[in-house]
């Protein structure tokens, strides 16, 4: 009896160890390293491994940091609203309006087609389209809607958010679609039988049951947007910055310690956001 | 390739091979093993061209692997990954960041065949005996070190060079004359409200700040002690002027790569911006009018050179010296000059250029026939002259060099604030 129990313990540990080791080496150690380096100092050509609060002092003492973090959160929030709206609608259509499973799968695959090319190509293709002499502007002018090209179409917050929504909506569609497919259709019928209107069914039955999907999609979108620096750089023409850009700049200029400090603060921010989100839904229970 | 590397390693590091190497006279080893050598070179896209690698294989027999990166990536690699390259093709201002890391080794001037023919700019800073030395990190100030193991820069010519100069040019603003419709002759025009929403500047702080300084000085807003080594106060004032302009919507975008600058200009998003000479050519080759506008305040200049990795020794080091001597021998010089850059040893390049090409690119004369670049694209028609004139006129009116300042870190932070503003 006793031997059997220790054996079970041992097997448990052994079974868990490969993943634990992988996580320690590829997740915990690098993050620990980043935290350590964030307390170091650097000059142009050398890194000084001495404990110092200087990086954090500078980070929290600079108005730029707050502006940039504010900007990052602004992007995340706006993009979240749009991706959720579009993603939910698309998933709803696929799950409840498309009758046959063949069509569901076919249309779902259609959604993924843009993902056959790289992120950057999908993003950059907006640039000639939105430009001052681009397709969008010439169409607007020839349709008589505007007299002059609209400058704010490109290299603005508008273009950044447009690209983000385009790039990340699918990350919302997939988990929401997934949870919707698992809703028992008889629940919806029951709601109708009970006299609920379409809207009431949506708000009282479907949305609550889709919460885990919405939450997973939200975590995807928010973390992706908060960490993305390429989209912000290209679509704003380097005119605006988010935290990712700040880190990228520091790395490019060999300021690894200060980049690490910014990364740590970003990581903490993202973890806090996810922590708050998980308060709303117990994902493990719902799955 | 793996096999080559392997045999090279065996040769260099194996004890037996080392014994053999000392037993035989060097030339024999050279002849036998030269084909096994692979040198890994990296640098900016400006001069890291596959054509050069191919020609090296033809002329010298060994393999030269080229990696082209952007300026920031070049700095990073040279400073942090010394084992990843044999030859670093870097710019002089980067040298100031990289040299103190000790990842490069000084080069013995006596082994450089054409040393005497290298232009004065790289030796004592003077193009002609009476010319004045421009501000900034002038190449000669970081061009020499005290000895083979020196980690600081020597103030005058010594027998040990940090970089062998290869390529340089004088930069100025690029404009779209068809969209501007009037002459432009001063750096101050970059912030002229007339071009609101149609101007751009590059987002590489060490270079961008120099362009910004040229503009502020031209506007009469700031009188710098030394644009290439600003005080904190000067940096603050410069960035304040640019931040104000940014907030007023002066800039359409900031660019970081060559392609971005070409696209901004070619698509008409921007009509005036800091630009590099080959980018102008790229816009022109699309049939769009674009001028590398000479300005009355002069040029912002840059220079590049080849540095050797600390890890090079023995046969590979010999091959590297062979390569350097070949580089300065004129073929590459001609190749670079036909793109609008200058060779560190112009007189050897002359042998590899036609009289028409030499007259157009170097002497500032009218082209007598169509001028093409090394890739075969037409650059100018008969009768055209080069923007800015002859070599002496252009390099003689350099106002400052790309620089790394004492207050570099402060400047970088201020630059980041400007971008985030």
């Amino acid at each position: 009896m006793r031997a059997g129990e220790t054996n079970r313990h041992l097997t448990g540990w052994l079974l868990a160890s490969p993943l634990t080791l992988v996580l320690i080496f590829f997740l915990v150690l690098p993050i620990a390293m980043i935290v350590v380096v964030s307390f170091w100092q650097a000059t142009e050509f050398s890194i000084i491994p001495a404990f110092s609060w200087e990086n954090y002092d500078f980070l929290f003492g600079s108005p730029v940091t707050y502006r940039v973090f504010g900007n990052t959160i602004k992007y995340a929030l706006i993009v979240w609203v749009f991706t959720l709206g579009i993603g939910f609608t698309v998933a709803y259509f696929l799950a409840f309006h498309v009758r046959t499973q063949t069509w569901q799968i076919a249309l779902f695959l259609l959604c993924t087609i843009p993902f056959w090319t790289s992120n950057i190509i999908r993003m950059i293709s907006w640039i000639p389209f939105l430009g001052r002499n681009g397709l969008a502007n010439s169409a607007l002018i020839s349709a008589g809607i505007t007299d002059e090209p609209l400058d704010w179409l490109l290299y603005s917050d508008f273009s950044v958010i447009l690209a983000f929504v385009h790039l990340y909506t699918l990350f919302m569609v997939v988990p929401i679609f997934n949870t919707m497919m698992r809703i028992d259709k008889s629940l919806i019928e029951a709601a109708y039988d009970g006299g609920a209107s379409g809207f009431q069914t949506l708000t009282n039955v479907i949305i609550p049951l889709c919460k885990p999907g919405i939450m997973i999609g939200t975590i995807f979108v928010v973390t992706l947007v908060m960490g993305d620096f390429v989209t912000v750089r290209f679509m704003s023409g380097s005119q605006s910055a988010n935290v990712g850009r700040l880190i990228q700049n520091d790395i490019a200029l060999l300021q690894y310690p200060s980049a690490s400090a910014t990364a740590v603060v970003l990581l903490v921010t993202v973890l806090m956001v996810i922590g708050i989100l998980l308060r709303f839904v117990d994902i493990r229970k719902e799955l | 390739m793996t096999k080559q590397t392997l045999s090279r390693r065996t040769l260099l590091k194996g004890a037996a091979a080392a014994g053999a190497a000392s037993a035989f006279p060097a030339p024999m080893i050279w002849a036998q093993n030269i084909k096994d050598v692979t040198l890994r070179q990296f640098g900016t896209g400006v001069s890291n061209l596959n054509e050069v690698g191919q020609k090296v294989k033809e002329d010298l027999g060994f393999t030269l692997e080229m990696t082209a990166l952007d300026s920031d990536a070049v700095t990073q690699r040279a400073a942090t990954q010394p084992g990843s390259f044999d030859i670093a093709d870097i710019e002089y201002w980067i040298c100031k960041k990289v040299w103190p890391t000790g990842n490069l080794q000084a080069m013995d001037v006596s082994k450089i065949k054409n040393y005497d023919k290298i232009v004065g700019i790289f030796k004592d800073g003077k193009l002609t005996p009476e010319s004045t030395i421009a501000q900034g990190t002038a190449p000669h100030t970081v061009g020499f070190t005290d000895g083979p193991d020196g980690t600081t820069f020597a103030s005058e010519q010594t027998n040990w060079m940090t970089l062998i100069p290869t390529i340089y040019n004088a930069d100025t603003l690029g404009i779209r004359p068809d969209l501007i419709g009037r002459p432009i002759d001063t750096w101050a025009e970059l912030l002229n409200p007339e071009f609101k929403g149609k101007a751009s500047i590059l987002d590489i702080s060490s270079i961008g700040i120099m362009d910004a300084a040229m503009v502020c000085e031209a506007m009469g807003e700031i009188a710098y002690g030394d644009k290439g080594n600003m005080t904190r106060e000067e940096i603050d004032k410069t960035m304040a002027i640019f931040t104000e302009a940014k907030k007023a919507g002066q800039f359409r975008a900031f660019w970081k790569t060559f392609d971005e600058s070409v696209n901004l200009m070619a698509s008409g998003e921007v009509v005036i911006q800091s630009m590099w000479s080959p980018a102008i050519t790229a816009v022109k080759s699309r049939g769009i009018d674009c001028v590398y506008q000479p300005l009355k305040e002069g040029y912002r200049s840059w220079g590049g050179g080849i540095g050797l990795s600390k890890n090079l020794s023995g046969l590979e080091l010999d091959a590297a010296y062979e390569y350097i001597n070949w580089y300065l021998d004129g073929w590459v010089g001609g190749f670079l000059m036909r793109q609008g850059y200058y060779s560190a040893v112009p007189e050897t390049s002359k042998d590899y250029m036609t009289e028409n090409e030499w007259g157009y690119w170097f002497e500032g004369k009218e082209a007598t026939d169509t001028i093409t670049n090394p890739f075969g694209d037409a650059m100018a028609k008969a009768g055209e002259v080069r923007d800015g004139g002859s070599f002496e006129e252009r390099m003689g009116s350099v106002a400052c060099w790309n620089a790394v300042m004492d207050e570099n870190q402060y400047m970088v932070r201020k630059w980041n604030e400007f971008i985030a503003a």
Side-chain angles (χ1 to χ4, degrees), chain B residues 176-181 195 265 268 270-271:
Chain B
R176 281 281 298 267
D178 54 331
L179 298 178
I180 290 181
F195 307 123
M265 206 65 160
V270 155
V271 299

Side-chain angles (χ1 to χ4, degrees), chain B residues 195-386:
Chain B
F195 307 123
K196 190 176 160 205
K198 293 178 178 175
S200 175
I201 189 169
L202 79 176
D203 179 19
I204 298 174
S205 53
S206 300
I207 307 175
I209 189 85
M210 302 307 291
D211 281 353
M214 292 297 284
V215 172
C216 293
E217 199 173 51
M219 289 165 80
E221 295 282 345
I222 305 173
Y224 295 93
D226 178 355
K227 284 189 288 297
N229 200 2
M230 301 183 195
T231 61
R232 286 192 174 210
E233 200 187 328
E234 285 169 342
I235 295 170
D236 286 344
K237 273 196 212 163
T238 311
M239 291 332 298
I241 291 172
F242 269 72
T243 307
E244 197 186 319
K246 186 188 172 194
K247 285 188 171 154
Q250 181 71 12
F251 300 108
R252 180 66 173 145
F254 302 105
W255 61 266
K256 207 156 192 164
T257 64
F258 177 88
D259 303 354
E260 281 178 281
S261 75
V262 172
N263 287 335
L264 283 174
M265 206 65 160
S267 63
E269 298 288 342
V270 155
V271 299
I272 183 167
Q273 67 173 354
S274 11
M275 222 169 163
W276 295 338
S277 150
I280 301 273
T281 319
V283 175
K284 273 188 180 168
S285 69
R286 299 186 189 184
I288 296 162
D289 201 7
C290 187
V291 173
Y292 207 38
Q293 185 62 53
L295 303 165
K296 65 183 180 202
E297 293 87 8
Y299 296 87
R300 175 191 51 74
S301 200
W302 59 271
I306 293 178
L308 300 183
S309 163
K310 197 89 183 174
N311 302 324
L312 277 181
S313 58
L315 183 62
E316 286 171 301
L317 186 60
D318 290 340
Y321 272 107
E322 190 87 340
Y323 169 61
I324 289 168
N325 279 321
W326 171 84
Y327 207 110
L328 299 183
D329 190 48
W331 185 86
V332 189
F335 195 91
L336 297 175
M337 297 253 282
R338 262 178 265 128
Q339 290 182 86
Y341 302 116
Y342 292 117
S343 159
V345 192
E347 54 178 293
T348 58
S349 325
K350 196 176 176 182
D351 306 335
Y352 291 84
M353 298 169 84
T354 65
E355 202 173 307
N356 178 32
E357 285 172 335
W358 179 255
Y360 177 83
W361 290 118
F362 193 81
E363 295 176 316
K365 289 182 181 163
E366 269 186 24
T368 52
D369 193 5
T370 308
I371 297 283
T372 56
N373 71 5
F375 313 106
D377 306 321
M379 308 274 281
K381 292 187 277 290
E384 285 185 37
V385 288
R386 180 176 185 169

Side-chain angles (χ1 to χ4, degrees), chain B residues 7 49 59 147 160 185 197 244 374 407:
Chain B
S7 61
L49 304 157
D59 287 5
W160 300 95
D185 70 344
E244 197 186 319
E407 292 288 354

Side-chain angles (χ1 to χ4, degrees), chain B residues 165-188:
Chain B
T166 52
I167 180 176
Y168 52 105
N169 204 1
D171 283 356
T172 181
L173 295 176
I175 63 162
R176 281 281 298 267
D178 54 331
L179 298 178
I180 290 181
R182 67 177 177 84
I184 296 288
D185 70 344
T186 162
W187 282 85

Side-chain angles (χ1 to χ4, degrees), chain A residues 44 132-133 237 239 249 255, chain B residues 251 254 267 269 408-409 416:
Chain A
E44 276 310 318
R132 193 172 270 144
N133 306 310
Q239 293 260 40
N249 263 343
Q255 302 297 317
Chain B
F251 300 108
F254 302 105
S267 63
E269 298 288 342
N408 184 53
Q409 249 176 318
N416 276 344

Side-chain angles (χ1 to χ4, degrees), chain A residues 42-45 54-55 58 62 64 67-68 131-133 151 154-155 233-234 237-241 245 249-256 258, chain B residues 72 75-76 79-80 96-97 100-101 197-198 203 205 246 251-254 256-257 260 264 267-269 408-409 412-413 416-417 419-421:
Chain A
T43 64
E44 276 310 318
F45 41 78
E54 205 231 325
N55 296 311
F58 177 79
S62 158
V64 176
R67 193 155 355 114
V68 168
R132 193 172 270 144
N133 306 310
D151 280 345
L154 186 60
Y155 301 134
R233 174 161 118 61
F234 281 101
S238 291
Q239 293 260 40
S240 25
R245 282 267 292 143
N249 263 343
D250 275 339
I251 292 176
L253 298 158
L254 298 175
Q255 302 297 317
Y256 292 106
S258 119
Chain B
D72 287 339
T75 318
Q76 257 186 73
T80 60
K96 211 167 171 178
K97 297 187 186 184
T101 60
K198 293 178 178 175
D203 179 19
S205 53
K246 186 188 172 194
F251 300 108
R252 180 66 173 145
F254 302 105
K256 207 156 192 164
T257 64
E260 281 178 281
L264 283 174
S267 63
E269 298 288 342
N408 184 53
Q409 249 176 318
V412 167
R413 286 179 167 172
N416 276 344
E417 286 178 19
I419 293 296

Side-chain angles (χ1 to χ4, degrees), chain B residues 12 25 28 47 50-51 55 68 71 102 175 233 277 296 305 311 363:
Chain B
L12 286 171
M28 203 166 150
S47 48
N50 287 329
E51 285 81 354
K55 191 73 180 166
S71 307
I175 63 162
E233 200 187 328
S277 150
K296 65 183 180 202
N311 302 324
E363 295 176 316

